[in-house]
Amino acid sequence: MITFENVTKQFSDGTIAVNQADFSIKKGELFVLIGPSGCGKTTTLKMMNRLIPLSEGTIYIDKRKISDYNIHELRWNIGYVLQQIALFPHMTIEENIAIVPEMKKWKESKVKKRVAELLEMVGLDPETYRNRKPNELSGGQQQRIGVIRALAADPDIILMDEPFSALDPISREKLQEEIVELQKQINKTIVFVTHDIQEALKIADRICLMKEGKVVQIGKPREFFTNPANSFVKDFVGSAEITGGNFDLLKLVHPLSNASSVDMFRINTDTSLKEVLDLLSEREEILVESDGTVIGKIDRLAIVNYFSGELKEGGLKHV
Ligand code: ADP
Ligand code: MG
């Protein structure tokens, strides 16, 4: 649905920020762009909604060149969450969320309904929050508003530039979980920029790792462990291997379709995240058994949380 064809961006001072990028992002996918600071992530993102013009190559959205779109049509169809949330301080939360719907001349009643729906979606009571000003919200709450504002006019694509990097670890983890949940609900294409491998592993359908303007590897999270393209990739994901924690035995069972063939894996303090992701490689979800009884389901997000020693209620969905 979004295709980069040999896209290069050279700034006027000669810096090549993106060098012959050639890849596609699928419809409905949570695509994570990752890489060290300065590798070209923000530039890649901004070229998609024409905030930055390309030097070479073509970007297509639904097989149509982005240069052929009317600029308003393009921008309205692409929600954008900035790294530094920029809510207008003099406007209420409702007014901040309603900016694009109002530009699109939605009826007032439709806007109100939409604002309430979005606030509820991120766990903020509409009646409590719609008339507040941004400075009456916590950092994590403001970040949620930044995210739902990008969703307000129901765009097909959402670009998010390190949206959680300024948050404390607890809010951050909560929002990571929410974005995965949200993505499941709304099934939009999300391009999510981060420099944090842990974050990428938690949320991505596919990861695109960049270095110095070049795409180094694109694939499912586990492929970065099982088939790293080179030593840079190995080192980059290597930092995510977590050991330690105090857990005993988890029995992981094949999903129901194959319930008769029971695999048991012992996970202990020496098991690396890589090994666990390998176990998850062909399985979306795994049933968790304790003393012969299925006690819940676990997915990649939950297991990564578990390995961070931070599995919380809700991470393990009881069946
Ligand atoms: P990232 O988001 O991965 O940190 P950026 O896309 O912001 O990286 O930047 C990629 C490279 O392009 C960096 O070397 C940065 O200094 C350079 N760059 C970004 N914007 C400009 C600009 N307007 N003019 C010149 N160089 C720029
Ligand atoms: Mg950036």
Side-chain angles (χ1 to χ4, degrees), residues 11 13 15-17 35-44 161-162 193:
F11 286 105
D13 67 356
T15 307
I16 299 176
S37 178
C39 71
K41 305 181 294 295
T42 296
T43 307
T44 303
D161 198 350
E162 308 209 22
V193 167

Side-chain angles (χ1 to χ4, degrees), residues 11 17 20 37 83 121 160 164 168 205 222 233 235 273:
F11 286 105
Q20 300 201 312
S37 178
Q83 183 168 357
M121 197 155 82
M160 308 179 93
F164 310 145
D168 62 277
D205 290 322
R222 64 185 168 85
V233 179
D235 290 345
L273 180 59

